[in-house]
Amino acid sequence: MKILTANRLTDGECLWYARGGWAETIDDAEIAADKEAEARLEDIGKAAFAANFVLDVAMVDIELVDGVIRPTRLRERIRAAGPTVRNDLGKQARSLAA
Amino acid sequence: MYRYDEFDHEFVQARVAQFRDQIERRLAGDITEDQFRPLRLMNGVYLQLHAYMLRVAIPYGTLSSRQLRMLAHIARTYDRGYGHFTTRQNIQFHWPALSDIPAALADLASAEMHALQTSGNCIRNISADHFAGAAADEAADPRPYAEILRQWSSVHPEFTYLPRKFKIAFTGSERDRAAIQTYDIGLHLKKDAAGELGFAVWVGGGQGRTPILAKKIRDFLPQQHLLSYITAIIRVYNLSGRRDNKWKARIKILVHETGAEEFARQVEAEWEALKDSELKLPQADIDAINAYFAPPSLPERPEGDEAVRLARLDSKSFADWLNQNVTTHRHPDYAAVTISLKNIGETPGDISDSQMDAVADIAEKYAFDEARVSHEQNLVLPHVARADLKTVYDALVEIGLATANIDLISDIIACPGLDYCTLANARSIPVAQQIATRFASLERQRDIGELKLNISGCINACGHHHVGHIGILGVEKKGAELYQVTLGGSADENASIGDIIGRGFGPDEIVDAIETIVETYLAIRSDAGERFIDAYRRLGPAPFKEALYAGEAKAA
Ligand code: HEM
Ligand code: SF4
């Protein structure tokens, strides 16, 4: 299973493609379960890059743990949360504040 | 300190305006990322995992209080309230929005700062001994020569598109505190028998995936030939350096493949044609730049001896700090103070905006308005009267920057690693934090003695792991972090590249492995005076391998 991610041009914020748009959190990312769905997401990524909305577009491997999206690579888990050494920074800080 | 002249001001302002325009066009979608990327890199802007990163140049690691306050302002206004000092004496801000960067650069320019040549295949910001101008063992202050090179190399068209990045470092002492043998060019300022100043020239050092120590290609280059000789070196490199393979493009590969002797011959041939050209430095020019670096006039403060003696008796923690963080100055009434940015359990090299402001205040009041960044990611106050040491110490205690651990095992160099860096394979910072915490006891650290532990999160080696007495390299294996250990590296005048000791360790094994290595050293050292590196050089890897892996071999 894969999801589509990128960084926003204006501020570098990590984004994931979700429900027809780009979200700042990973939780609702649209999951591609087969090659066809992957190709569709890849095209969306390419278009968003071409439209100068995002950069560093990538498809990342995930698994579902109790229904929650969990990227396979630590790198992507850190992108989704923030630095592991500063819980007060990045996305994790926002969910704490919320 | 060097002050911008009119040309410098105009040049930096023009560059800010140009980059502002480029960012606006990028944000408007008029230029593509492929077009923009090289432009932003020329202005110190990277994209990291969570955000953009702005790397600000700190030429030869020297800062005025005003400049340090400006860095605090940038951290507060455009970032998340902190900055990260790097092994190249620069500072990185890890969270700026692209749209804020023109304003940040304009603010920096008002304090004579910029982000030029902090990235890209040019001559990068030049580094120097952090005790320059203060060290008791120095032939002369090398920073004026670093500044001459900076002026000459800034956006020099011939050297803006080199095969690869190019890094130069200076020391003015036999005791190399600037790691010059790990640089593309390392320059050691010294005096010849007649008392004339000149340089030993080292070429072809570098870290990354192919660590190589520089070779000395000239023992003494009279100072007036600095520009012509460096030009000759870079011309040979520009002509013959490989452009077909990024991993073979550094000058270290060229020197290695050509052979140092043949390389030196080519440089000398090139230099013959250049040495009496307009690149020959007139003494008047050298003197003019030297005048900017004239040391502060240091009034006699003979009361320092007695003051320090009494304060030492009065406070054990002050005495510990004095022993560990205070270095002999060329003036007997003064000392150089190292401010550790390695508090136990915190991120090496990180400093908050309010701490930067406070250090700026201390520097202004007690250190002639000057601070330095060391390549070990600490700050230095180069000129403090011994009579003021206790006051400075108390002020540092107030802001939580009085940790007494310089050159000890918790004074760890670490790159940002996978917590921030897109290129990382593993995290560096948590490993540094856990090791420092394990060895938190100052008594234990002092018993272990001088031990340089360096950590990089990938083979690019930004954390200098190859030249740590103990080096830790993070790699990714089957999706998990794994840490490879090297022993026996060193970055000083007796530089060496560490040896990989054996299989790597998982995140929950690495701290124990380091402790095993340290305990092994303690058991085998000839006496308490034999440093880790000396014991390793005497005995080699065998005892450490035995301690780390013997159990496994038997089990297998
Ligand atoms: C976005 C963050 C960074 C990126 C993308 C980056 C990238 C790189 C790369 C690709 C190399 C290898 C160059 C080569 O071997 O040709 C390198 C080397 C190096 N970097 Fe970084 N780096 C980053 C942050 C840092 C930091 C934080 C430090 C200081 C703590 C640093 C200091 C160095 C040093 C000292 C070297 C080795 C010296 C050499 O060039 O041989 N870099 N970096
Ligand atoms: S060594 Fe690797 S992980 Fe560390 S900062 Fe450099 S590029 Fe990033």
Side-chain angles (χ1 to χ4, degrees):
Chain A
M1 283 182 289
K2 286 185 196 290
I3 58 176
L4 172 64
T5 185
N7 292 71
R8 187 158 58 206
L9 170 69
T10 51
D11 56 4
E13 180 84 33
C14 297
L15 303 177
W16 293 265
Y17 188 74
R19 289 178 299 189
W22 291 86
E24 291 191 9
T25 53
I26 195 171
D27 309 329
D28 298 326
E30 187 172 318
I31 299 169
D34 55 33
K35 287 280 167 232
E36 217 169 291
E38 274 177 34
R40 199 180 73 82
L41 285 184
E42 273 167 20
D43 287 344
I44 290 169
K46 278 185 198 138
F49 178 78
N52 298 309
F53 179 66
V54 293
L55 56 161
D56 275 25
V57 180
M59 298 287 290
V60 303
D61 289 314
I62 59 138
E63 56 195 5
L64 285 174
V65 179
D66 299 330
V68 176
I69 293 178
R70 183 177 188 274
T72 337
R73 287 185 73 200
L74 177 61
R75 176 186 200 273
E76 292 304 320
R77 297 201 290 277
I78 291 176
R79 277 183 77 239
T84 63
V85 291
R86 288 289 301 261
N87 292 335
D88 58 327
L89 295 174
K91 321 264 186 195
Q92 58 200 356
R94 288 174 229 168
S95 51
L96 282 178
Chain B
M1 248 183 89
Y2 184 70
R3 297 301 312 259
Y4 279 16
D5 62 16
E6 215 161 291
F7 172 81
D8 296 323
H9 272 294
E10 273 173 26
F11 171 68
V12 172
Q13 303 281 4
R15 200 47 189 266
V16 172
Q18 182 191 47
F19 190 43
R20 181 189 297 275
D21 174 63
Q22 289 162 341
I23 289 180
E24 278 167 10
R25 285 190 287 146
R26 176 70 188 117
L27 291 173
D30 295 341
I31 46 178
T32 65
E33 186 59 21
D34 290 345
Q35 291 165 325
F36 180 64
R37 193 171 172 276
L39 301 176
R40 71 166 155 82
L41 289 175
M42 278 183 196
N43 291 283
V45 180
Y46 289 75
L47 182 68
Q48 292 215 22
L49 286 184
H50 314 288
Y52 287 97
M53 179 271 273
L54 176 65
R55 186 182 285 160
V56 176
I58 303 175
Y60 27 85
T62 299
L63 288 166
S64 65
S65 295
R66 174 165 166 251
Q67 291 175 320
L68 192 49
R69 285 195 193 100
M70 176 53 72
L71 296 176
H73 160 80
I74 300 293
R76 196 159 42 234
T77 313
Y78 306 105
D79 211 82
R80 302 289 159 89
Y82 70 105
H84 175 77
F85 286 112
T86 77
T87 45
R88 300 218 56 259
Q89 299 176 306
N90 295 321
I91 189 167
Q92 295 187 173
F93 296 104
H94 285 147
W95 303 89
L98 185 59
S99 43
D100 279 342
I101 283 175
L105 290 175
D107 291 356
L108 285 163
S110 74
E112 308 188 356
M113 301 187 87
H114 59 74
L116 302 175
Q117 293 176 205
T118 58
S119 176
N121 295 335
C122 57
I123 296 182
R124 298 289 190 89
N125 184 44
I126 294 168
S127 46
D129 180 1
H130 46 267
F131 291 142
D137 60 357
E138 172 175 273
D141 187 340
R143 291 173 303 155
Y145 302 92
E147 173 57 25
I148 289 170
L149 267 186
R150 185 201 66 75
Q151 293 192 7
W152 159 86
S153 67
S154 287
V155 297
H156 190 309
E158 186 178 343
F159 307 133
T160 301
Y161 297 97
L162 294 169
R164 196 77 179 86
K165 59 167 116 168
F166 205 90
K167 301 179 181 178
I168 303 176
F170 280 87
T171 172
S173 308
E174 290 294 332
R175 175 80 222 285
D176 176 10
R177 289 172 290 257
I180 67 166
Q181 292 183 45
T182 68
Y183 274 78
D184 295 283
I185 296 180
L187 294 159
H188 170 198
L189 180 62
K190 59 185 191 177
K191 286 188 173 143
D192 68 3
E196 296 296 325
L197 283 170
F199 301 92
V201 181
W202 296 75
V203 180
Q207 303 189 54
R209 67 175 58 194
T210 319
I212 299 180
L213 294 175
K215 307 284 180 307
K216 187 157 77 174
I217 62 166
R218 202 169 224 279
D219 190 55
F220 193 81
L221 175 77
Q223 56 170 345
Q224 64 271 25
H225 295 302
L226 178 66
L227 290 188
S228 57
Y229 202 80
I230 302 295
T231 301
I233 295 172
I234 302 180
R235 281 205 177 154
V236 171
Y237 171 53
N238 220 350
L239 204 62
S240 310
R242 287 180 62 169
R243 291 172 191 267
D244 60 324
N245 179 342
K246 186 177 164 183
W247 302 115
K248 302 210 170 210
R250 296 287 293 267
I251 195 173
K252 64 188 173 189
I253 305 291
L254 180 65
V255 174
H256 182 73
E257 287 181 353
T258 313
E261 251 174 61
E262 170 57 18
F263 184 84
R265 196 197 58 73
Q266 292 177 13
V267 169
E268 296 280 331
E270 190 70 40
W271 184 54
E272 264 317 301
L274 284 174
K275 72 186 217 200
D276 297 313
S277 70
E278 76 281 359
L279 287 176
K280 187 164 168 183
L281 283 166
Q283 190 59 42
D285 287 9
I286 298 177
D287 294 344
I289 298 291
N290 258 300
Y292 280 114
F293 292 88
S297 72
L298 303 172
E300 304 289 317
R301 298 284 302 276
E303 74 277 21
D305 278 347
E306 185 62 7
V308 166
R309 195 182 66 80
L310 291 177
R312 191 192 271 281
L313 291 175
D314 197 41
S315 157
K316 165 136 186 354
S317 52
F318 174 67
D320 287 341
W321 179 82
L322 208 58
N323 291 339
Q324 218 55 54
N325 295 33
V326 175
T327 306
T328 311
H329 196 279
R330 60 183 161 75
H331 190 305
D333 296 347
Y334 288 78
V337 165
T338 304
I339 302 173
S340 169
L341 302 182
K342 314 293 176 67
N343 281 351
I344 304 298
E346 290 179 25
T347 302
D350 274 15
I351 183 169
S352 73
D353 59 334
S354 58
Q355 287 173 326
M356 284 191 258
D357 275 336
V359 172
D361 289 346
I362 297 170
E364 188 169 30
K365 274 198 212 127
Y366 303 107
F368 302 87
D369 211 28
E370 196 177 326
R372 306 279 176 80
V373 183
S374 76
H375 86 270
E376 290 97 349
Q377 302 175 289
N378 293 312
L379 285 175
V380 169
L381 302 174
H383 317 286
V384 178
R386 288 168 55 77
D388 294 330
L389 282 172
K390 182 64 166 55
T391 315
V392 167
Y393 171 75
D394 291 340
L396 291 171
V397 170
E398 288 276 305
I399 54 169
L401 289 181
T403 302
N405 62 351
I406 298 307
D407 288 340
L408 299 178
I409 188 170
S410 65
D411 183 10
I412 297 171
I413 294 179
C415 77
L418 191 55
D419 282 297
Y420 294 95
C421 177
T422 36
L423 303 176
N425 290 322
R427 287 172 294 168
S428 311
I429 299 169
V431 176
Q433 293 174 329
Q434 287 159 28
I435 293 171
T437 305
R438 176 74 61 94
F439 291 94
S441 150
L442 180 62
E443 233 180 288
R444 186 175 182 201
Q445 291 189 55
R446 292 193 38 191
D447 178 36
I448 297 164
E450 181 186 309
L451 209 169
K452 311 246 183 193
L453 197 151
N454 300 352
I455 310 176
S456 307
C458 82
I459 195 61
N460 287 324
C462 303
H464 288 193
H465 68 275
H466 297 298
V467 289
H469 297 170
I470 300 178
I472 300 179
L473 164 65
V475 298
E476 183 176 351
K477 198 172 176 196
K478 297 189 188 131
E481 295 167 299
L482 191 76
Y483 296 94
Q484 219 171 57
V485 175
T486 53
L487 298 181
S490 170
D492 60 11
E493 62 284 2
N494 302 310
S496 52
I497 305 282
D499 310 310
I500 296 174
I501 194 77
R503 73 149 179 95
F505 300 91
D508 48 2
E509 300 170 320
I510 181 67
V511 182
D512 289 339
I514 298 304
E515 192 165 35
T516 301
I517 290 165
V518 171
E519 290 299 328
T520 306
Y521 151 68
L522 290 175
I524 61 177
R525 68 181 172 187
S526 55
D527 59 68
E530 189 181 44
R531 298 177 308 159
F532 177 90
I533 183 72
D534 299 326
Y536 181 82
R537 284 176 177 162
R538 181 169 59 85
L539 294 163
F544 299 95
K545 279 194 173 151
E546 168 79 17
L548 286 169
Y549 305 116
E552 277 167 35
K554 278 171 203 137

